[in-house]
Amino acid sequence: MNKPNPNDVTLFLIEDDDIDAMSIKREFKRREISSPIVRAKDGVEALELLASGKISHPFIILLDLQMPRMNGLEFLTTLRANSAYKNSVVFVLSTSQDESDIFNSYASNVAGYFIKDEGGDGFISIVDIIDGYRNVVHLPLS
Amino acid sequence: MSSGKKFRVPTIIKYNLLDAEIDTMFNDIVMFAAKSCDKLFAMVNFIDVDKLWVFSQVGLFPNEMDQKNDFCKHTVNQTGVLEISDTLLNERTKLNKVVKETPNIRYYAGVPLINTEEQILGTLCVFDTKPNMLNKHQKSILKLLAKDVVSQLELRRKNFELSKLTDLNQLITKNNPDLVFAKDSDYKILHANTAFLSLFPEKMRDKVIGSSALERYSDAAAATFIVQDKLAFEQGKAETIEKITFSNGEIRTLFITKTRFEDDKGKAYIFGIARDVTEREALIEKLKKSNSDLEEFAYIASHDLKAPLNAIKRLVSWIEEDASEVLQGESLEHFGMIKNRIDRMNMLLKDLLDYSRVGKNDGLPQTLNLQKTAKHCYQLLNLPQGFKIDIDDIDLVLPKVPLELVLTNLISNAVKHHFKKSGHIKIHCKNLAHDYQISVTDDGPGIDPSLHEKIFMKFQTLKPRDEVEGSGLGLAIVEKALANYSANIAVKSDIGKGATFTVTWPKLEASHK
């Protein structure tokens, strides 16, 4: 069986905006979700963290698209090309409503694309989904 | 007929008779008249010209004007040959100086000079010293010669007018700032004005006529001229804006019109006019760029300002949550006000964004039911329970997005500014010949006529924003959206009498069909 304990599923947050990252962390705390959250501020840092083994399996990636150095789509391309991480579960959470961003994200096999709404309620919904997801989903353990 | 009764341009001016060269103009005719009529003297004279053309076979004929009057003033009152076979037997002539003294004229015959407009200009006449008669043959020669005098005058007039026209043409050719040229079917330049020639280095100018673009420009540049020339030859007309590198290396933008024309033999040519529009095109380009920069700026500014504002909003609500036990009284109120101002700023930014985007990709006119469209608009607005809306059931052909934008704003205003919890809004539409006239009427508090102009201005609100939330951009957005379709909006309202906003929206050509 590869169904993990929901609290063992790490949320790997790749997000350059501190307040957006805090929104997620806060919502986790409010719901008393004890899953660990690890954050990278851009694609480059995310790849470094993955390579250093600091992100323990199983994990879900929550990815922003507009970031300095290496943006979300570039990160996705690199991720999918790497045999060690190509199976990773990735959700995109972005302000971009651009059709081509949505299309390109799904072309890189993301599990879902969410748009950050202006009021910040979107962060509550995404945590709803991640919470539900980690409870029911079977994830690769390595 | 009497020439004197009609106003006319004096012969002297009409036929340009001031010139020295006319002195001998009719000498051949008067000589021939005298000889063919077998008379000693012949004369051409004009009613309003102080000049006589006289031929004499025997010494001088007194070159005085009074005998002209005695002899000729009756000739010009008829159209045929007037003959006085013996001047001493004629009351008018017997006392004339040339009859009484040398050369003792005894015979006169004259023909009027009649031009193509049937004006009598003067006479051609013959004199002799013995009484006589002209035979039929001589009379017809005299008439024929009179016609010849007139044809010579007419020819002279045409030449004169032509030369005036030529002078004018030269003036135009020389001073027209547009480049004017004509080409034959081998694309060779047949005619070019001064402006056209001045494009070329001075030493080349005399070689321009007769040359073609093929010889003067690179193959590529010449090819583009030829394409347009061909088009003009085929279709009769071609218009282009071309960037042309002049011989001094300067690149100018020319608006060129080429028109085909044919000569009397049916050979085709093109006539071209090129206007230098470099500065105009540059200005248009600049204006376009600054407009799009401005729009982009408004868009980016309103979009990018939203992100930090939303971050502030979240941080504030977190502090409020975390410090709910500490925050009390005024501080709590202040927190509420902060959040309210954040919402207000968000609304301002949203409306600013809408304002900057109005008119972009608004789509084509389509058949829309006013009732359905308006319903769709007010359903999105979350109208309070007490409001009733009546809408005409009518189909319109209008672009959907701007119509919805206009209706949403007008309905939302009617509700927002209403002073009661309930109200009645009526949306009517008159289908006029060339316009739709859509009106939104409410039974709200009404608007003071002195403020009617102000409500359409940007960022203007009638009440403090703390009382009625609003960016003050709603009607400005409506007006801007309507302006794209040459539509307009007007308000009719007075305090306590509700308000009617009427949109006059021109129908598009497609909707007439």
Side-chain angles (χ1 to χ4, degrees):
Chain A
M1 286 295 285
N2 56 356
K3 168 95 178 62
N5 179 335
N7 287 335
D8 290 342
V9 178
T10 301
L11 179 69
F12 185 22
L13 188 58
I14 308 168
E15 168 66 74
D16 65 327
D17 188 283
D18 288 346
I19 294 172
D20 284 353
M22 280 164 70
S23 298
I24 300 284
K25 287 180 185 165
R26 226 183 129 80
E27 197 54 28
F28 263 54
K29 202 173 144 195
R30 204 174 64 80
R31 289 163 186 249
E32 295 174 347
I33 302 169
S34 57
S35 295
I37 295 179
V38 181
R39 179 188 170 204
K41 291 191 174 185
D42 58 36
V44 175
E45 194 188 351
L47 289 176
E48 282 168 6
L49 285 172
L50 283 170
S52 69
K54 284 181 184 156
I55 314 298
S56 55
H57 285 282
F59 62 83
I60 297 170
I61 294 175
L62 190 55
L63 178 69
D64 187 16
L65 290 188
Q66 277 135 333
M67 292 183 294
R69 296 206 292 176
M70 180 189 276
N71 69 30
L73 289 174
E74 290 163 348
F75 169 78
L76 266 175
T77 310
T78 318
L79 189 79
R80 294 305 184 212
N82 186 318
S83 58
Y85 313 118
K86 66 178 179 193
N87 295 326
S88 308
V89 174
V90 181
F91 288 96
V92 171
L93 179 61
S94 166
T95 50
S96 166
Q97 303 190 22
D98 196 328
E99 283 298 324
S100 70
D101 282 343
I102 298 172
F103 179 87
N104 288 328
S105 298
Y106 281 107
S108 291
N109 298 317
V110 297
Y113 189 106
F114 299 91
I115 292 165
K116 293 177 188 171
D117 74 340
E118 287 160 359
D121 293 344
F123 293 97
I124 300 175
S125 331
I126 184 82
V127 172
D128 272 346
I129 287 177
I130 288 168
D131 192 15
Y133 192 84
R134 68 182 186 121
N135 275 308
V136 297
V137 85
H138 289 238
L139 289 169
L141 294 175
S142 60
Chain B
M1 84 171 53
S2 169
S3 58
K5 283 176 192 160
K6 274 194 200 165
F7 172 79
R8 58 191 176 91
V9 182
T11 314
I12 197 159
I13 292 171
K14 191 167 179 178
Y15 297 103
N16 192 25
L17 294 181
L18 292 165
D19 243 320
E21 69 186 57
I22 61 138
D23 285 354
T24 57
M25 204 173 152
F26 303 114
N27 284 1
D28 288 348
I29 289 179
V30 287
M31 181 185 80
F32 190 67
K35 292 200 165 160
S36 56
C37 293
D38 199 19
K39 299 288 170 284
L40 290 174
F41 311 99
M43 177 202 288
V44 163
N45 60 58
F46 296 104
I47 291 170
D48 55 5
V49 179
D50 274 346
K51 191 187 259 298
L52 301 170
W53 288 263
V54 180
F55 173 76
S56 161
Q57 307 216 43
V58 285
L60 280 178
F61 187 88
N63 196 356
E64 284 170 31
M65 294 314 294
D66 51 343
Q67 67 261 17
K68 172 178 124 181
N69 290 332
D70 287 338
F71 287 100
C72 300
K73 74 179 173 197
H74 292 274
T75 306
V76 296
N77 283 331
Q78 48 91 60
T79 55
V81 178
L82 189 101
E83 197 170 34
I84 301 168
S85 45
D86 190 342
T87 56
L88 286 178
L89 300 179
N90 187 297
E91 289 301 315
R92 293 196 307 274
T93 56
K94 65 181 185 191
L95 296 174
N96 191 285
K97 203 177 168 193
V98 286
V99 175
K100 282 165 59 186
E101 297 167 19
T102 327
N104 298 107
I105 294 298
R106 291 292 302 276
Y107 174 82
Y108 166 85
V111 200
L113 302 170
I114 307 171
N115 73 2
T116 48
E117 291 147 58
E118 298 199 353
Q119 293 166 336
I120 294 174
L121 308 172
T123 64
L124 166 66
C125 45
V126 289
F127 300 87
D128 207 70
T129 47
K130 45 187 191 292
N132 208 326
M133 291 274 277
L134 283 183
N135 63 31
K136 204 176 155 194
H137 179 65
Q138 287 170 321
K139 277 184 180 171
S140 53
I141 285 179
L142 205 60
K143 279 197 214 167
L144 210 66
L145 288 175
K147 270 190 189 163
D148 197 30
V149 170
V150 175
S151 338
Q152 284 205 31
L153 283 174
E154 291 294 343
L155 205 64
R156 190 175 164 80
R157 174 165 73 162
K158 278 185 186 142
N159 271 334
F160 177 53
E161 281 166 5
L162 207 62
S163 83
K164 278 203 290 194
L165 207 63
T166 310
D167 287 350
L168 186 67
N169 264 333
Q170 269 172 0
L171 196 71
I172 294 169
T173 302
K174 210 172 152 188
N175 294 297
N176 190 350
D178 290 349
L179 318 178
V180 180
F181 57 92
K183 287 183 187 177
D184 66 10
S185 52
D186 297 325
Y187 313 115
K188 282 203 164 103
I189 290 176
L190 299 178
H191 167 86
N193 71 345
T194 312
F196 188 97
L197 291 176
S198 68
L199 298 182
F200 298 89
E202 215 156 329
K203 59 179 194 294
M204 263 183 76
R205 279 178 204 168
D206 56 341
K207 297 186 189 76
V208 172
I209 305 284
S211 73
S212 85
L214 290 167
E215 301 150 32
R216 284 179 283 111
Y217 290 93
S218 68
D219 287 352
T224 61
F225 295 138
I226 302 285
V227 165
Q228 291 307 318
D229 288 357
K230 268 190 183 152
L231 206 66
F233 273 120
E234 283 163 17
Q235 301 182 349
K237 194 155 190 153
E239 278 183 1
T240 42
I241 290 190
E242 290 173 22
K243 281 198 193 312
I244 292 174
T245 311
F246 289 174
S247 55
N248 61 3
E250 203 180 346
I251 298 171
R252 309 288 295 174
T253 309
L254 299 180
F255 174 71
I256 308 176
T257 314
K258 290 170 179 169
T259 313
R260 183 187 59 213
F261 69 97
E262 277 156 26
D263 66 8
D264 51 358
K265 293 183 190 86
K267 196 166 157 23
Y269 301 89
I270 47 177
F271 175 68
I273 299 177
R275 174 160 293 182
D276 191 330
V277 292
T278 311
E279 277 74 25
R280 190 186 79 182
E281 289 298 304
L283 272 176
I284 291 173
E285 237 359 83
K286 223 168 137 184
L287 206 61
K288 271 189 194 160
K289 184 160 187 322
S290 93
N291 264 342
S292 81
D293 279 357
L294 208 63
E295 275 172 21
E296 202 181 341
F297 174 77
Y299 177 83
I300 289 171
S302 46
H303 183 266
D304 286 8
L305 286 170
K306 273 184 166 184
L309 192 65
N310 286 319
I312 293 170
K313 187 180 176 181
R314 267 181 277 161
L315 288 168
V316 166
S317 70
W318 294 344
I319 296 172
E320 203 184 15
E321 269 173 39
D322 298 348
S324 58
E325 281 156 29
V326 190
L327 285 174
Q328 279 173 9
E330 279 201 335
S331 299
L332 208 55
E333 245 174 70
H334 293 165
F335 256 83
M337 288 167 90
I338 291 175
K339 287 200 291 188
N340 169 273
R341 297 306 187 278
I342 290 168
D343 287 343
R344 187 178 297 165
M345 184 141 170
N346 252 323
M347 185 177 59
L348 269 166
L349 292 173
K350 182 193 153 289
D351 284 357
L352 203 59
L353 202 58
D354 284 350
Y355 185 80
S356 78
R357 276 171 169 172
V358 158
K360 286 181 186 166
N361 311 318
D362 278 348
L364 295 167
Q366 49 183 293
T367 306
L368 298 165
N369 182 276
L370 181 65
Q371 207 169 57
K372 281 186 190 154
T373 310
K375 251 183 196 163
H376 175 72
C377 295
Y378 73 70
Q379 274 160 2
L380 290 175
L381 286 171
N382 295 322
L383 284 194
Q385 281 292 316
F387 279 84
K388 191 175 158 238
I389 303 192
D390 291 328
I391 307 154
D392 285 353
D393 186 5
I394 176 176
D395 283 344
L396 316 171
V397 181
L398 287 174
K400 190 169 184 230
V401 176
L403 178 65
E404 285 183 348
L405 181 100
V406 169
L407 289 174
T408 305
N409 268 290
L410 294 180
I411 298 170
S412 135
N413 276 349
V415 175
K416 191 163 77 176
H417 297 287
H418 212 287
F419 55 159
K420 291 183 196 150
K421 289 223 158 52
S422 62
H424 190 184
I425 298 167
K426 283 179 272 189
I427 303 177
H428 292 309
C429 179
K430 276 189 207 160
N431 192 351
L432 304 177
H434 302 291
D435 310 286
Y436 294 114
Q437 214 165 63
I438 306 165
S439 62
V440 178
T441 305
D442 65 55
D443 53 356
I447 306 158
D448 187 334
S450 68
L451 297 170
H452 286 187
E453 220 171 287
K454 210 165 190 181
I455 56 175
F456 292 99
M457 293 178 182
K458 287 188 272 290
F459 301 110
Q460 292 292 335
T461 55
L462 292 183
K463 287 200 168 163
R465 289 187 170 89
D466 290 338
E467 285 175 36
V468 177
E469 284 292 351
S471 62
L473 278 170
L475 287 174
I477 291 172
V478 166
E479 208 173 34
K480 187 179 169 193
L482 289 174
N484 287 328
Y485 300 92
S486 309
N488 61 63
I489 183 164
V491 61
K492 207 176 158 185
S493 178
D494 210 339
I495 296 169
K497 289 182 180 160
T500 298
F501 285 85
T502 305
V503 172
T504 307
W505 202 318
K507 294 177 182 177
L508 288 160
E509 284 308 313
S511 61
H512 291 301
K513 287 172 191 165

